[in-house]
Amino acid sequence: MPHLIHVIDVESGNLQSLTNAIKYIGDYEVEYIHNGSEFEQKNSEIEKLVFPGVGNFDHFVKQVHLRDLLTPIREYIRSGRPLMGICVGLQVFFSESEEGVSDYRGLGYMNMKLQKFASSDPIFESKGLKKAVPHIGWNSVNEINIQGKQLAADEAYYGMNTVNKYYFVHSYAAIINSEENRSLIEKAQSEGWNFAFARYGTEKFVAAMAFENFFATQFHPEKSGIAGLQVLKSFLTGKVFEQNVQSQVQKGEKAIVSSLSGVTRRIIACLDVRTNDEGDLVVTKGDQYNVRESSGEGNSVRNLGKPVELATRYYRQGADEVTFLNITSFRNSPIKDLPMLEVLKLAAKEIFVPLTVGGGIKDMTDPETGSLVPAEKVADLYFRSGADKVSIGSDAVTIAEKYYQNKGVKSGDSSIERISATFGNQAVVISVDPKRRYVSSPSDTTMQVVEITDGSKYGPNGERFCYYQVTSQGGRKVHDLGAVELCIACEDLGAGEILLNSIDHDGSNKGFNFELINQVKRAVSIPVIASSGAGNPKHFQEVFELDCNVDAALGAGLFHREEYKVNDVKEYLQEKAGMDVRLESRFDI
Ligand code: 1PR
């Protein structure tokens, strides 16, 4: 008989990943609890309760109140049975958050106000940069403090140790840099609370906390690979103290240098997916977005493998994230595009790192009923199939054009605004497809230009300036808008991350487009993923060494053609460049 695990579902984000992770760990079944009366009905059979949450604190706390969950949760904890909170499911146990605008308050087990990470952080400011907010990525838990004692490196508390990295995605946290918050933590410690702390730039924050039968993590164990599954497993099995659960390793003699922010260098594997001429969904890869073979039989779509198989392979090779882009979705309706949903569902059962899906995220009309399907509904379909983030390409361009026509006044009704309001900014990635456009002088365009300093890279007519003109529909349509302008507008509208492609470099294997990456990264505060052109591990080192401090780098062709495994890149970064990366040593718990 499988053990039953109860999960509170206030319809805030994707519970599929958590359910998949629990079932992967052992013989468990999951049952959801949606409101107070369901809680009462099931109360006697609840043995272990998980309380996950993503997105907006205010929205989440309001749901907990409106669904009459406050009292049953408090009584459950009082009964001594185990409860584990995750992400906003940790935050809800604090009294309030800067993110909160309504009168609804958290459960108040910790009488402290959650604060937003500061993008103006002294470490970054000294280099003329801003710290990316949200905090997205793999971070160490630097300090685990149990009953006044620091945990040793070979010890684990709830499966957590100070060696492994865990996946965080949040803008708000219990930041304890102020004297007031430090003394609140000390007071809680003296009352028996245990804490794990992490650092983001110079800000120290609560990464996990526990008190008697209560345990909560700010990171997502269900998205933290083997290290995260160990945390979940220790909660499910009740093994609070363990030894030697380290799953990650450090290779090479070189001293490891952390990034400015403390998060590791994130390596993302990307799969461009489309239906080929035989009607099969395949992973393909273009050269400057042309995915058809130029020689051989007919002009067929390049077929590099099956999406789930490749995605699982990259996860097991150590990818920190996997992205699926449905590259022809502007032609089809993803509402009817069930194979892509199926791909996600299957991938999410095997892959325990974040999954992003893009392609066709916009308001659309259901071809059968003729009724309007709003973009957040389309996104929700993907989230329910296992995606953690959606990536918006073509629609973001239309939205940014309107934004500038309205002189930067937000209408509130764009897909970016609506999806981020419901699922949180961290769930909205903007995929940018820009092409270099040369100009003789900055006054030839209203877009922000880059001055080309390398004479060998001047334009065909000796132009010494360029900007990056955005395209939509897979590079087919060009717009009177620059990549920087697009990203600034989307950030203002609530996007949480930028996936920055470069059509000029795509599929070229010649390395990333530094000019473009520098320009965009310096213009926004949200994380930027460098994409297009990766041909070998050194290219990743080069992009991470850029002064602009790029947040993540993505590769496609080099992995599909099996020239390199994802871990080859990460081992190179660690051994040769001394960069901090997550090196998972095993893939089963
Ligand atoms: O516009 O919201 O429907 O989304 C469509 C998505 O599909 C966009 O994110 C767009 O970037 C992507 N897309 C559309 N057409 C193509 C194409 O190749 N014909 N692929 C395409 C974009 C870019 C990267 C690629 C990197 C790394 N692919 O994701 O994987 O450039 O490649 P490399 O490492 O081999 O150089 P919407």
Side-chain angles (χ1 to χ4, degrees):
M1 267 287 275
H3 287 285
L4 195 58
I5 305 298
H6 287 86
V7 173
I8 299 179
D9 176 11
V10 295
E11 281 156 44
S12 148
N14 160 32
L15 297 192
Q16 196 53 50
S17 310
L18 176 65
T19 305
N20 289 341
I22 293 173
K23 288 184 176 175
Y24 186 87
I25 287 168
D27 194 13
Y28 295 107
E29 268 311 321
V30 172
E31 202 168 281
Y32 298 129
I33 295 173
H34 301 94
N35 52 50
S37 61
E38 271 183 35
F39 205 122
E40 289 310 325
Q41 276 164 25
K42 295 178 181 166
N43 201 351
S44 60
E45 65 194 57
I46 307 176
E47 287 175 9
K48 296 241 153 79
L49 184 62
V50 187
F51 193 11
V54 294
N56 182 288
F57 174 88
D58 214 39
H59 177 77
F60 189 82
V61 168
K62 189 170 165 189
Q63 287 301 316
V64 175
H65 280 262
L66 295 180
R67 290 165 185 254
D68 295 326
L69 283 161
L70 244 71
T71 310
I73 290 171
R74 285 207 174 102
E75 281 173 3
Y76 174 86
I77 294 179
R78 213 172 298 135
S79 76
R81 288 170 288 173
L83 181 145
M84 177 177 181
I86 297 175
C87 194
V88 187
L90 168 142
Q91 299 188 354
V92 72
F93 288 92
F94 284 74
S95 49
E96 53 185 326
S97 169
E98 281 180 2
E99 198 175 14
V101 287
S102 67
D103 292 337
Y104 292 105
R105 288 172 64 89
L107 281 132
Y109 282 58
M110 282 293 297
N111 186 22
M112 188 190 287
K113 189 173 191 169
L114 300 151
Q115 293 167 302
K116 190 169 185 178
F117 285 117
S119 56
S120 55
D121 186 305
I123 299 187
F124 285 78
E125 273 176 349
S126 64
K127 296 187 179 277
L129 299 170
K130 282 175 277 184
K131 183 170 81 185
V133 179
H135 167 225
I136 300 183
W138 297 78
N139 211 323
S140 303
V141 169
N142 321 88
E143 201 183 311
I144 304 176
N145 208 303
I146 310 300
Q147 286 141 33
K149 268 180 47 203
Q150 304 282 17
L151 210 69
D154 65 341
E155 291 174 328
Y157 178 58
Y158 277 108
M160 263 182 319
N161 62 25
T162 50
V163 179
N164 293 346
K165 324 273 185 208
Y166 305 94
Y167 185 76
F168 290 83
V169 48
H170 57 135
S171 296
Y172 296 80
I175 299 170
I176 53 163
N177 284 32
S178 72
E179 198 50 57
E180 186 189 351
N181 284 357
R182 266 200 299 274
S183 44
L184 284 171
I185 292 286
E186 277 165 20
K187 181 167 173 284
Q189 283 172 323
S190 69
E191 288 164 358
W193 283 78
N194 294 325
F195 293 95
F197 302 108
R199 173 181 77 78
Y200 187 44
T202 57
E203 292 178 292
K204 182 172 168 182
F205 65 94
V206 173
M209 58 190 201
F211 182 73
E212 295 176 352
N213 50 320
F214 166 83
F215 169 58
T217 61
Q218 178 62 68
F219 59 85
H220 284 270
E222 77 284 13
K223 287 284 146 190
S224 296
I226 293 300
L229 295 181
Q230 278 168 338
V231 175
L232 213 45
K233 186 178 175 185
S234 86
F235 170 75
L236 296 175
T237 57
K239 286 191 192 153
V240 175
F241 289 99
E242 279 175 281
Q243 278 202 304
N244 300 321
V245 298
Q246 179 182 339
S247 70
Q248 290 163 26
V249 288
Q250 191 176 311
K251 293 213 167 165
E253 299 301 306
K254 218 167 168 137
I256 303 301
V257 180
S258 291
S259 65
L260 286 180
S261 61
V263 287
T264 66
R265 273 76 179 189
R266 228 182 331 149
I267 305 294
I268 301 175
C270 181
L271 299 94
D272 289 358
V273 177
R274 64 161 286 172
T275 311
N276 67 6
D277 304 313
E278 286 75 48
D280 301 321
L281 205 63
V282 298
V283 174
T284 189
K285 183 68 212 81
D287 290 324
Q288 302 197 330
Y289 286 30
N290 179 6
V291 298
R292 290 192 176 269
E293 303 279 10
S294 50
S295 57
E297 288 172 31
N299 199 12
S300 56
V301 170
R302 213 168 277 140
N303 177 351
L304 294 164
K306 295 185 179 150
V308 180
E309 217 172 277
L310 257 63
T312 310
R313 184 198 297 166
Y314 300 147
Y315 163 65
R316 298 184 86 85
Q317 286 177 2
D320 294 319
E321 238 173 278
V322 176
T323 296
F324 293 101
L325 296 176
N326 186 355
I327 67 170
T328 50
S329 55
F330 59 90
R331 295 192 198 132
N332 313 318
S333 156
I335 298 289
K336 299 293 154 203
D337 199 356
L338 294 173
M340 193 64 182
L341 295 176
E342 203 50 36
V343 162
L344 268 172
K345 279 186 196 149
L346 292 171
K349 284 192 178 147
E350 298 292 325
I351 299 177
F352 298 103
V353 294
L355 294 174
T356 302
V357 65
I361 315 276
K362 59 181 180 195
D363 292 336
M364 54 181 62
T365 310
D366 187 317
E368 274 165 23
T369 62
S371 58
L372 180 82
V373 184
E376 60 271 33
K377 182 87 195 140
V378 181
D380 190 41
L381 272 178
Y382 283 130
F383 290 135
R384 284 181 187 277
S385 304
D388 301 284
K389 310 185 221 180
V390 291
S391 148
I392 305 179
S394 302
D395 200 34
V397 180
T398 315
I399 292 167
E401 285 175 335
K402 281 199 193 132
Y403 172 91
Y404 286 111
Q405 278 159 18
N406 290 339
K407 311 231 172 327
V409 177
K410 296 183 232 177
S411 65
D413 71 355
S414 69
S415 60
I416 298 175
E417 289 158 285
R418 284 183 278 124
I419 299 174
S420 59
T422 316
F423 301 100
N425 305 36
Q426 81 296 330
V428 182
V429 182
I430 302 301
S431 169
V432 191
D433 299 317
K435 252 184 191 159
R436 185 187 290 110
R437 178 89 188 244
Y438 293 103
V439 285
S440 301
S441 143
S443 60
D444 291 351
T445 173
T446 54
M447 307 306 153
Q448 289 186 37
V449 296
V450 180
E451 183 172 3
I452 306 167
T453 47
D454 177 352
S456 67
K457 294 190 176 154
Y458 289 164
N461 303 309
E463 294 94 338
R464 300 171 65 154
F465 298 90
C466 73
Y467 70 95
Y468 283 90
Q469 183 170 33
V470 299
T471 68
S472 62
Q473 305 191 352
R476 284 169 184 75
K477 194 167 166 198
V478 290
H479 295 257
D480 194 15
L481 189 69
V484 171
E485 288 73 17
L486 172 69
C487 295
I488 290 173
C490 293
E491 174 174 23
D492 191 31
L493 291 164
E497 202 171 16
I498 303 287
L499 165 50
L500 186 58
N501 302 301
S502 162
I503 297 184
D504 307 280
H505 283 236
D506 175 66
S508 69
N509 296 338
K510 66 180 179 189
F512 294 91
N513 186 340
F514 299 156
E515 201 175 71
L516 169 67
I517 295 163
N518 260 318
Q519 195 195 19
V520 170
K521 175 66 189 163
R522 287 179 183 280
V524 294
S525 303
I526 52 179
V528 173
I529 303 163
S531 165
S532 303
N536 60 51
K538 188 153 187 19
H539 289 152
F540 288 87
Q541 177 185 353
E542 287 165 358
V543 80
F544 284 125
E545 280 175 353
L546 286 180
D547 285 342
C548 66
N549 196 48
V550 74
D551 303 275
L554 173 152
L558 85 164
F559 300 137
H560 303 334
R561 294 186 299 269
E562 297 191 61
E563 290 157 2
Y564 295 94
K565 295 193 185 73
V566 181
N567 253 353
D568 294 339
V569 173
K570 296 174 105 180
E571 284 178 17
Y572 180 94
L573 291 178
Q574 194 165 86
E575 286 181 43
K576 298 276 186 312
M579 290 181 175
D580 196 13
V581 294
R582 176 187 69 105
L583 272 186
E584 199 78 84
S585 64
R586 55 196 169 92
F587 284 90
D588 279 304
I589 46 169

